Amino acid sequence: MHENEPFRAALPPAADAVRYELDADESGPVQDLQQITGTLRRRWWLLAATSTVAVVAAWYLGRSEPRRYTAETLLQYSESAPVVGLSFSGVGQGLGAQLEIIRSQAVLGPVVDSVDARLTILDDPGLRSDIFTDVVIAPEAPPAIYLMELVGDEISVVHEFREEEVARVPVGSRIDLPGLSFGPFDSVFLQDPIRFTINRRQVAIERLQGRVLVEEGLGPDMIRLQFTHSDPRHAAAVLNQTSASYIEYSKGTNKAAQARRRAAIADQMVLLADSLRAAQDQSMQYQSEARLLDPSVEGNALMSNMLTTETELQSMRFDESLLESMVTGLQNSDGSDESLHRIMALGGNLVPGGAQLDSELRDLEAQRSRLTASQFGLTQANPEVVIIDSLIATTKQQMQITAEQALALQRARIESTERRLGGIRGQLSRLPERSAEFSRLEQRVTAIQQSFDLLVAQYFQAQIEEGAEAGDVQIVDPAPVPLRPDPSRRGLKLVVALMAGLMIGGIGAITLDQLDSRVRQARDAERAVHLQVLGSVPKISSRSSNPKSVLIGKEAFRGLRTNIRFALREQPRLMAITSSAPGEGKSTIAVNLALTLAEQGSRVLLIDADLRRPQVHRILGVERLPGLSDVLMGEAELEHAIVRSPVHPGLSVIPGGSATGSPAELVGGDAFMRMVLDLREQYDTVLVDTSPVLAVTDAALIGTVADGTLVVVRANETDQGALSQAVEQLRRVNANLVGIVLNDVPLDNVGYASYYDSYYDGEREDTRTRHLLRSGGRSA
């Protein structure tokens, strides 16, 4: 059992503090933003330093940066239409591929050779075109760095790496170096030494690839090229040579593509010629076997023949009906020959000799009529009349026989015509099947013939294009020599540098803040020990005379008083006030909290139990002797050690007393516990200012009998690890931890400070009547 357990059992039950458990991962966007803002505000000097360095560096670099000129050219790419079924694009499919082709070594390699891009001026690139004229660089020229300067009336060139003079020529002469020859040039451009280098061809190509800007233009199939250099003439020369190299590349690839196209077309023509010949032979063979002429001509002929035959058959059937009427009329003749004559008049031409017989019959009837017509005419019995009647009967009989023979002949002709018509119709019914097969064969021949004709035309077109050496690229606007340098954009660069400096400073500030383990704000303390911060006391020095700061300090202690009562659910009777290490302001917090409780009308006793470094008597302005140590050692009576505070009549104090070598034994002994029992019954609240937890064990011993323990933390100084260790030590002895008091918080960080400007404008509290007591040192 703990040595103080009997005394704890003798005390009335202490009120349990409201347990406050804070999730270590509890955060939100607003809290994170507030934390970042606070970090940047605390470390503003780092942001100012990084931004100043960045702006100064940008200004210095911009001041020494040479003027640069940007040349620009505009090209148009028109892709040739590919052959159906064959693709022979010489330069690539699509405008996007052209942009990559321009950046390729195949295009930029000749540019490097033609504009001497292997040569680079290191000191003043703007003098390139003035000094390096008529340059000849051998392919095997070794890479090197040279220093060229004017020595009297001569020009000296020194190999910088070997420190060897490789050329010395009079001014106005041509300069010959290993693999390099150039000049002459005007010596006025060589006032200062110039360093230049010869690069490898591949290195020069790679540099040019990174500096030539290739992008799509605003119009369709437009390509825009840009190149920036300190020498405007060199910039224009690079772009114009790039355009020329790209056009030559396009011509070469198109010519090769057309040659491949022509060869492929020739191969296809051979295959199609064989296919066409086979299709034609197959069509002719079928036409021969089916005995089929042209289906359209044959069908028209059969149709015309059928229509003619049908018309002829109808006419024959009409003639048949006339002959049948004639035969019937001759058979049923009643002596009145007028109807017979009408029938003979209609169909006499159908009967052979019918018109002659009809004429003879009319003559015989006219003769008989003359013989018998008058009253003096002959009678029927007259031999002449009898002979004429006999001739008439014979003629009629002959007419009937002839008509019957004509009718039989007509019927035979009709039967023959019907058979012929049936044959024609049979031929027409079989014609579609034969015509369809023949048409299919002919369509195949026609299709192959059309493809063959198309290939022939394309073959000759490819042959013409191959000989023409035309490309798909043309220059719309060549690159002129830029007359004005590019805008320096110095202001924009300074702004960017400022933003970059602020960003770097902000990152550095947040990083330093994360590495800093000190308690900076309430959330840091709460996360470290999972205890609630009951109050934040502003930073007010002993020399402060700001009425606003005094008011805020008083209000902070009033809020602390209220929060303690809420945390314990009633006003505490015995409370210990401690800290993790010295110098965190626990004595100041204890004195002002006691004064705040006394101003509420409570009888308050403040005991200075930090016997090693007592501070309460200095803050309140009372005598140190006699004090607690004197009472516990039996050298003074308790009533003599209790003194009335000169600040408020409701506040009584027991100062620390005489220095002693064994404060832990005094505070942890039976005498102190009995005194606590007596004083707890005599006063409404007893506050005990204890020693720091990590320095000595006094606070832990007192915390075992107190109703509650407050832990004081100094903002921006107390280490979170030390605070956590101190709280853990108090928890091991089962001290009733009420919460944390965050001391010495910057005035701007006190949450309710901004409300006092408007709330106290009309009426100010007289700070002389009730003082906010402050410690003169950092030991409390």
Side-chain angles (χ1 to χ4, degrees):
M1 179 178 294
H2 195 275
E3 57 181 350
N4 291 330
E5 284 298 326
F7 294 97
R8 297 194 65 176
L11 292 173
D16 293 333
V18 177
R19 294 299 177 185
Y20 177 78
E21 296 294 334
L22 178 69
D23 187 0
D25 296 331
E26 181 184 9
S27 63
V30 176
Q31 291 80 3
D32 293 339
L33 181 60
Q34 292 176 348
Q35 183 175 1
I36 293 174
T37 304
T39 299
L40 298 179
R41 186 170 59 249
R42 286 193 305 274
R43 304 186 186 275
W44 62 268
W45 54 269
L46 182 59
L47 274 72
T50 54
S51 59
T52 301
V53 170
V55 170
V56 171
W59 174 82
Y60 179 78
L61 294 176
R63 186 175 61 88
S64 60
E65 183 179 1
R67 293 184 298 178
R68 306 184 68 83
Y69 298 83
T70 298
E72 182 176 302
T73 186
L74 189 63
L75 306 177
Q76 185 174 24
Y77 167 73
S78 302
E79 185 176 3
S80 301
V83 184
V84 177
L86 300 172
S87 179
F88 299 100
S89 177
V91 188
Q93 298 292 335
L95 186 60
Q98 303 308 307
L99 305 183
E100 297 300 324
I101 289 174
I102 296 176
R103 300 187 187 99
S104 66
Q105 296 190 21
V107 174
L108 295 183
V111 177
V112 169
D113 299 333
S114 60
V115 300
D116 308 317
R118 295 178 60 186
L119 190 149
T120 304
I121 298 181
L122 302 178
D123 293 328
D124 192 355
L127 297 176
R128 177 189 178 95
S129 298
D130 295 321
I131 295 179
F132 293 95
T133 60
D134 194 14
V135 179
V136 178
I137 302 178
E140 65 277 3
I145 300 177
Y146 298 99
L147 177 64
M148 183 171 58
E149 59 182 343
L150 187 63
V151 181
D153 294 335
E154 294 181 328
I155 297 176
S156 173
V157 182
V158 178
H159 192 288
E160 193 172 85
F161 180 73
R162 298 199 302 261
E163 297 183 354
E164 175 186 353
E165 187 177 65
V166 294
R168 179 183 284 266
V169 298
V171 173
S173 301
R174 188 173 182 82
I175 300 176
D176 294 320
L177 302 177
L180 171 65
S181 176
F182 62 92
F185 60 90
D186 192 345
S187 60
V188 72
F189 299 109
L190 196 60
Q191 298 300 321
D192 297 322
I194 290 181
R195 295 169 62 247
F196 64 93
T197 179
I198 301 297
N199 301 309
R200 298 185 184 276
R201 185 175 185 272
Q202 183 61 32
V203 173
I205 292 175
E206 292 175 357
R207 287 184 178 178
L208 197 58
Q209 286 175 335
R211 296 182 61 185
V212 175
L213 177 61
V214 185
E215 59 184 3
E216 296 185 16
L218 297 179
D221 301 330
M222 303 301 292
I223 301 176
R224 186 181 304 277
L225 305 182
Q226 290 182 343
F227 181 73
T228 302
H229 196 268
S230 299
D231 184 0
R233 287 173 289 177
H234 181 67
V238 168
L239 277 195
N240 288 327
Q241 190 58 41
T242 301
S243 302
S245 178
Y246 177 45
I247 291 175
E248 289 299 321
Y249 175 85
S250 176
K251 289 180 179 179
T253 51
N254 275 354
K255 185 175 182 179
Q258 296 302 334
R260 294 194 302 270
R261 173 185 174 188
R262 179 177 53 79
I265 291 175
D267 296 338
Q268 293 292 327
M269 286 174 59
V270 173
L271 297 176
L272 281 179
D274 296 339
S275 299
L276 179 61
R277 189 177 301 107
Q280 289 174 342
D281 292 343
Q282 186 177 1
S283 178
M284 293 175 62
Q285 182 181 0
Y286 178 79
Q287 190 175 12
S288 175
E289 292 176 355
R291 296 179 181 179
L292 179 66
L293 298 176
D294 189 348
S296 60
V297 176
E298 185 175 357
N300 292 335
L302 287 175
M303 183 60 69
S304 177
N305 192 12
M306 185 184 70
L307 294 176
T308 303
T309 303
E310 288 179 349
T311 302
E312 181 182 354
L313 182 61
Q314 290 177 358
S315 178
M316 293 174 66
R317 285 176 176 170
F318 179 74
D319 293 342
E320 180 187 13
S321 64
L322 291 178
L323 290 175
E324 288 178 350
S325 299
M326 185 181 298
V327 171
T328 301
L330 291 173
Q331 289 176 355
N332 297 327
S333 178
D334 55 355
S336 176
D337 297 326
E338 187 60 31
S339 60
L340 180 61
H341 290 306
R342 287 196 299 271
I343 293 174
M344 290 302 294
L346 292 174
N349 58 337
L350 301 177
V351 179
Q356 183 179 357
L357 292 176
D358 183 56
S359 178
E360 291 179 356
L361 181 60
R362 287 181 179 275
D363 291 340
L364 291 174
E365 288 178 349
Q367 291 178 11
R368 185 179 184 280
S369 178
R370 284 195 303 271
L371 293 176
T372 59
S374 64
Q375 58 182 350
F376 302 103
L378 299 179
T379 63
Q380 294 182 354
N382 187 282
E384 292 183 10
V385 175
V386 172
I387 292 172
I388 290 175
D389 289 339
S390 175
L391 291 173
I392 289 173
T394 300
T395 302
K396 289 183 178 181
Q397 184 177 4
Q398 188 176 357
M399 289 175 64
Q400 182 178 355
I401 293 172
T402 304
E404 291 176 353
Q405 291 176 349
L407 177 61
L409 179 62
Q410 185 70 16
R411 287 175 176 174
R413 291 173 60 190
I414 289 174
E415 184 178 356
S416 175
T417 302
E418 288 178 346
R419 287 196 301 272
R420 181 160 55 87
L421 181 60
I424 294 174
R425 287 176 176 171
Q427 291 180 359
L428 281 174
S429 64
R430 293 191 300 273
L431 182 61
E433 181 180 355
R434 295 187 301 161
S435 177
E437 180 65 19
F438 179 76
S439 298
R440 185 182 65 81
L441 295 175
E442 284 297 307
Q443 288 174 358
R444 182 184 178 192
V445 172
T446 302
I448 297 176
Q449 183 67 50
Q450 291 176 350
S451 299
F452 183 79
D453 294 340
L454 179 61
L455 285 179
V456 170
Q458 292 174 351
Y459 178 83
F460 287 109
Q461 179 184 359
Q463 194 174 31
I464 294 172
E465 292 178 355
E466 181 182 359
E469 296 185 354
D472 295 333
V473 182
Q474 61 180 353
I475 299 177
V476 178
D477 285 332
V481 176
L483 300 179
R484 292 181 296 274
D486 298 342
S488 62
R489 296 186 176 90
R490 187 168 300 173
L492 178 61
K493 293 178 182 177
L494 293 178
V495 172
V496 172
L498 175 62
M499 298 302 295
L502 291 175
M503 183 178 298
I504 295 173
I507 295 175
I510 294 174
T511 302
L512 292 177
D513 198 67
Q514 293 296 324
L515 297 176
D516 188 0
S517 61
R518 293 177 299 176
V519 176
R520 298 180 300 274
Q521 53 188 350
R523 294 181 62 201
D524 298 334
E526 291 175 344
R527 288 181 175 181
V529 296
H530 288 192
L531 285 177
Q532 186 178 16
V533 174
L534 299 180
S536 296
V537 178
K539 182 176 183 179
I540 306 173
S541 67
S542 59
R543 295 177 297 275
S544 175
S545 60
N546 185 359
K548 174 183 174 182
S549 64
V550 174
L551 291 174
I552 294 176
K554 289 183 177 181
E555 191 62 32
F557 282 102
R558 294 189 187 108
L560 175 62
R561 177 192 63 196
T562 303
N563 291 336
I564 292 174
R565 180 170 297 178
F566 173 78
L568 293 175
R569 297 189 180 93
E570 61 183 19
Q571 182 169 337
R573 301 294 302 278
L574 177 61
M575 178 170 291
I577 300 175
T578 185
S579 62
S580 61
E584 299 190 6
K586 61 179 180 59
S587 298
T588 304
I589 298 298
V591 170
N592 283 280
L593 179 60
L595 179 60
T596 303
L597 293 173
E599 289 176 348
Q600 192 181 13
S602 302
R603 292 179 298 116
V604 181
L605 174 64
L606 176 60
I607 303 175
D608 190 351
D610 187 359
L611 301 183
R612 292 174 179 84
R613 303 177 67 178
Q615 295 290 327
V616 173
H617 67 282
R618 296 174 55 188
I619 299 174
L620 290 174
V622 298
E623 295 295 331
R624 178 176 176 178
L625 301 176
L628 178 62
S629 61
D630 301 316
V631 173
L632 295 178
M633 289 186 299
E635 297 179 358
E637 297 296 331
L638 178 61
E639 57 271 15
H640 295 156
I642 300 176
V643 296
R644 189 67 61 94
S645 169
V647 180
H648 194 281
L651 174 60
S652 300
V653 182
I654 300 179
S658 303
T660 178
S662 56
E665 288 74 6
L666 294 178
V667 174
D670 295 342
F672 178 77
M673 297 304 170
R674 285 192 295 270
M675 184 186 69
V676 168
L677 289 173
D678 294 338
L679 295 176
R680 192 176 188 274
E681 298 299 328
Q682 299 175 19
Y683 292 90
D684 296 328
T685 301
V686 177
L687 298 180
V688 182
D689 179 17
T690 69
S691 302
V693 176
L694 298 182
V696 292
T697 61
D698 299 2
L701 295 175
I702 297 174
T704 59
V705 297
D707 295 335
T709 300
L710 282 179
V711 180
V712 178
V713 175
R714 185 177 291 275
N716 298 317
E717 287 194 15
T718 302
D719 185 77
Q720 296 184 28
L723 174 63
S724 177
Q725 184 178 355
V727 171
E728 184 63 27
Q729 185 172 336
L730 292 173
R731 283 172 174 164
R732 280 199 296 267
V733 297
N734 295 324
N736 187 20
L737 296 173
V738 181
I740 297 173
V741 179
L742 190 60
N743 186 29
D744 213 12
V745 179
L747 191 62
D748 294 339
N749 291 352
V750 178
Y752 44 79
S754 60
Y755 296 103
Y756 279 84
D757 288 335
S758 59
Y759 189 71
Y760 283 98
D761 277 345
E763 182 178 356
R764 294 289 184 177
E765 184 176 350
D766 186 4
T767 59
R768 294 175 298 176
T769 58
R770 290 184 293 179
H771 300 281
L772 178 66
L773 301 182
R774 290 150 288 187
S775 172
R778 300 295 300 274
S779 61

